[in-house]
Amino acid sequence: MPLRAQSDEALFEEWRKRTDADRGALIDELFGRHYERVARWCLRFTGDREQAADLAQDVFLKAYRHLDSFRGASRFSTWLYTIVRNECMTRIERSISPIDKDEVIAAAASLDPPPDELVARNERGARLREFLIATLEPLERRVFVLHYGDEMPLDAITRLLRLDNASGAKAYIVSARRKLARATQRLRNRGGTL
Amino acid sequence: MSSDRPRKNGLDFATARTPECVPIERLGDAITQEERAHIETCARCQAELSLWHAFEQSTPAADDGAAVQWIAAELARRRGPAAATGRRTTGWIRIPGLSAALATLVVAAALGYVLWDREPPVPHGVTSPVYRTGRIRTSAPLGDVASAPRALHWSPVEGTASYDVRLLEVDRTPLWSGSTSTPGIDLPSDVSALFVPGKTVVWEVTARDASRAIIGESGAQQFRVAPSSRDR
């Protein structure tokens, strides 16, 4: 069967059976069919084609180096996506400006909390997650988690989620913050706490 | 990056992954009832799912089509000869630990290249093989459609003797293939029956000249029959 007619997973199986000398064409076909998909995601993440090309190159470089680790338990494209996502998150982490010393000390102090504190934190986390679900619309939640949870820039979220409203993800963040503030106030007025 | 980020006030707990969260590498699989129930109540999983959808089902948009093509061509260009020969090296062109003198040469060459042209090189006066084949502009179906398509249509490519058409699952498992000499092809009814609401289908067209050489490609196009409110 010609390479182009084979599924990703069949190509990978073939790649596993071959010796290094015969693998080039398989890799070209397997990766080549995902070039546009990865390129598009990287472009939407970075907003710049030069940066996106470098990011996409790093993705495929990593995929190539770790192809042995693909076990076929998931679809190949999902496996590739985990690499794309991790590379993007790594770039976000690298670009975040260093936090101040007070924060470092606070963070260090919070390491390995005693068990009772850990339980309390987990409980609070569960309450906060429920609060988010109950207070925000689905799209507001997604934008909120990506921006505040992953520190993803708003313009990247706008492009990745294809938000076509005038101010993109920012509108959802503004709306989410307003709703959360109101909901928190209502909770306080009732004597509750998060 | 996000200077307005309210830190250390519980957001980390509210947005972090939990042990119950669906692993990212499982997002493409059939998820269990239990996982589905969790996703309903987990903003983190919902966000991950929407990102994954953005990757998996990203349809070309008019505003990024040319740049995406450029990046894809860059990726192909950057593939070095090592991979083609199958050596267990990366295949992609990377700058190794060069001496300072060599690095200077590389920088100078790169600067010259940047000043010359940032686009991938397209050989002139060469008919085959070409660096990029022509782009086939597809017309329908694309994106969400109201009902199962019975035919595929695209714009004609000059010099084409035949068009090869393929329908694929999103993981590129072949569904159907056909050939035609016109810029459109009817789909058999048993193929149209596969287009259930919500299922994304990929299709691509390859234009060939009389010698069967590829002279145009559409790249992967996608459509799905939009789920009705009942299906959602």
Side-chain angles (χ1 to χ4, degrees):
Chain A
M1 191 189 288
L3 294 183
R4 289 195 69 185
Q6 295 186 40
S7 69
D8 290 352
E9 291 71 25
L11 280 177
F12 173 74
E13 280 307 312
E14 196 64 30
W15 176 86
R16 274 220 298 224
K17 292 178 198 160
R18 300 266 185 101
T19 59
D20 278 358
D22 299 327
R23 286 174 160 180
L26 288 165
I27 287 290
D28 283 343
E29 172 63 26
L30 182 58
F31 285 4
R33 59 177 61 170
H34 294 284
Y35 277 174
E36 285 196 16
R37 177 178 291 167
V38 172
R40 189 170 296 115
W41 213 85
C42 292
L43 179 67
R44 290 175 184 172
F45 180 77
T46 62
D48 175 87
R49 71 174 194 175
E50 312 280 344
Q51 286 179 41
D54 290 343
L55 175 59
Q57 178 179 350
D58 286 347
V59 166
F60 282 108
L61 194 62
K62 196 158 275 186
Y64 185 79
R65 285 177 176 159
H66 297 281
L67 196 52
D68 281 330
S69 71
F70 177 59
R71 296 277 170 251
S74 63
R75 293 197 336 222
F76 178 79
S77 61
T78 311
W79 179 79
L80 189 60
Y81 167 70
T82 60
I83 298 175
V84 175
R85 187 194 176 286
N86 288 343
E87 281 298 300
C88 291
M89 294 308 154
T90 303
R91 271 170 166 68
I92 289 175
E93 283 163 19
R94 277 193 213 135
S95 66
I96 293 172
S97 49
I99 53 178
D100 63 42
K101 281 182 183 175
D102 287 348
E103 259 189 309
V104 173
I105 292 164
S110 70
L111 292 174
D112 296 329
D116 54 339
E117 191 180 327
L118 199 60
V119 169
R121 279 188 191 190
N122 286 340
E123 285 173 358
R124 181 156 188 253
R127 280 201 307 276
L128 286 165
R129 281 191 287 276
E130 283 169 20
F131 187 64
L132 280 187
I133 290 283
T135 310
L136 304 182
E137 295 296 319
L139 198 46
E140 288 169 343
R141 273 179 234 149
R142 289 171 204 162
V143 172
F144 192 87
V145 167
L146 294 175
H147 185 55
Y148 289 129
D150 294 338
E151 312 217 9
M152 193 179 279
L154 290 173
D155 51 356
I157 298 171
T158 301
R159 289 187 297 263
L160 282 170
L161 300 187
R162 306 300 291 163
L163 305 176
D164 53 9
N165 55 313
S167 51
K170 189 173 182 183
Y172 293 94
I173 284 292
V174 170
S175 160
R177 290 178 71 116
R178 191 178 299 139
K179 284 183 185 177
L180 288 171
R182 282 187 197 146
T184 308
Q185 191 58 51
R186 279 198 299 271
L187 194 66
R188 283 190 186 132
N189 291 346
R190 293 200 304 265
T193 181
L194 280 171
Chain B
M1 183 161 295
S2 47
S3 54
D4 60 339
R5 182 180 192 267
R7 286 180 179 275
K8 305 293 175 196
N9 61 357
L11 276 176
D12 293 337
F13 301 127
T15 61
R17 294 186 66 78
T18 67
E20 294 78 32
C21 286
V22 181
I24 292 166
E25 59 272 18
R26 292 242 311 108
L27 291 176
D29 299 334
I31 51 177
T32 64
Q33 202 69 24
E34 197 177 19
E35 287 169 334
R36 198 181 301 278
H38 169 77
I39 291 171
E40 291 287 315
T41 60
C42 177
R44 161 56 62 185
C45 281
Q46 290 170 9
E48 293 294 353
L49 207 53
S50 59
L51 275 189
W52 175 76
H53 277 298
F55 176 78
E56 194 68 29
Q57 299 179 355
S58 67
T59 46
D63 57 341
D64 61 16
V68 168
Q69 291 297 310
W70 183 87
I71 297 163
E74 261 302 282
L75 288 171
R77 189 181 69 80
R78 291 180 188 186
R79 277 278 279 165
T85 57
R87 291 205 313 271
R88 193 71 173 122
T89 53
T90 63
W92 273 271
I93 300 166
R94 307 292 288 179
I95 299 175
L98 298 173
S99 68
L102 196 53
T104 307
L105 277 175
V106 170
V107 169
L111 185 62
Y113 172 73
V114 167
L115 292 173
W116 174 62
D117 187 4
R118 288 300 295 159
E119 292 290 333
V122 179
H124 297 290
V126 178
T127 53
S128 179
V130 290
Y131 186 68
R132 283 188 211 167
T133 53
R135 189 78 179 161
I136 299 176
R137 188 184 299 273
T138 51
S139 46
L142 295 171
D144 278 1
V145 294
S147 60
R150 307 235 171 148
L152 308 173
H153 299 282
W154 57 91
S155 297
V157 175
E158 200 178 328
T160 300
S162 67
Y163 297 96
D164 293 341
V165 185
R166 298 201 309 151
L167 276 177
L168 309 146
E169 302 266 16
V170 288
D171 67 353
R172 298 194 67 84
T173 302
L175 287 174
W176 177 82
S177 62
S179 195
T180 178
S181 58
T182 59
I185 193 166
D186 290 334
L187 299 170
S189 55
D190 58 330
V191 172
S192 289
L194 299 172
F195 308 150
V196 294
K199 175 189 173 74
T200 300
V201 178
V202 177
W203 63 286
E204 54 192 29
V205 184
T206 304
R208 295 180 185 274
D209 65 12
S211 65
R212 298 287 297 155
I214 295 174
I215 57 174
E217 288 179 309
S218 67
Q221 310 295 310
Q222 295 188 345
F223 70 87
R224 68 167 191 165
V225 178
S228 65
S229 53
R230 216 160 28 117
D231 299 320
R232 284 181 197 134

